[in-house]
Amino acid sequence: MPDCCEIRIADHGPGFPEEALPYLFDAFYRVSESRNQEDGESGLGFSISRRIAELHHGDIFAKNRKDTSGLIVRVLLPIA
């Protein structure tokens, strides 16, 4: 994406199984079925983030960290 701003967020959590990464931004997707709304998780955070990025004509990506455990999330937004 030409002339864009990149925001990169990295954590040191457990990461996600590789097979789950394509679905992280799907509404209501949860990696573990044992997680439920009683735990305060709805499976909407990543999908809301993607929608916000799209509304600003940008995109968002996630991948596991290679050097350590955790996830890297990249948000690309065009510069006005």
Side-chain angles (χ1 to χ4, degrees), residues 4-5 8 10-11 14-15 21 24 26-27 29 31 33 42 46 49-50 52-53 55-56 60 69 71 74 76:
C4 71
C5 172
R8 190 177 293 207
D11 72 7
L21 292 177
L24 284 183
D26 292 352
Y29 178 77
V31 175
E33 291 298 322
S42 63
F46 281 120
S49 299
R50 169 158 279 163
I52 291 170
L55 286 170
H56 291 282
I60 187 169
S69 63
L71 191 71
R74 293 175 54 224
L76 300 175

Side-chain angles (χ1 to χ4, degrees), residues 2-75:
D3 295 327
C4 71
C5 172
E6 179 178 344
I7 302 165
R8 190 177 293 207
I9 303 110
D11 72 7
H12 294 283
F16 290 93
E18 288 295 321
E19 62 271 10
L21 292 177
Y23 307 104
L24 284 183
F25 295 98
D26 292 352
F28 303 109
Y29 178 77
R30 293 189 199 122
V31 175
S32 172
E33 291 298 322
S34 65
R35 294 178 184 241
N36 58 41
Q37 289 180 331
E38 293 172 8
D39 296 331
E41 298 182 18
S42 63
L44 287 172
F46 281 120
S47 65
I48 290 170
S49 299
R50 169 158 279 163
R51 187 65 184 133
I52 291 170
E54 289 172 346
L55 286 170
H56 291 282
H57 307 287
D59 210 345
I60 187 169
F61 309 92
K63 68 178 183 177
N64 284 315
R65 295 179 65 152
K66 300 265 188 256
D67 58 338
T68 181
S69 63
L71 191 71
I72 297 174
V73 176
R74 293 175 54 224
V75 181

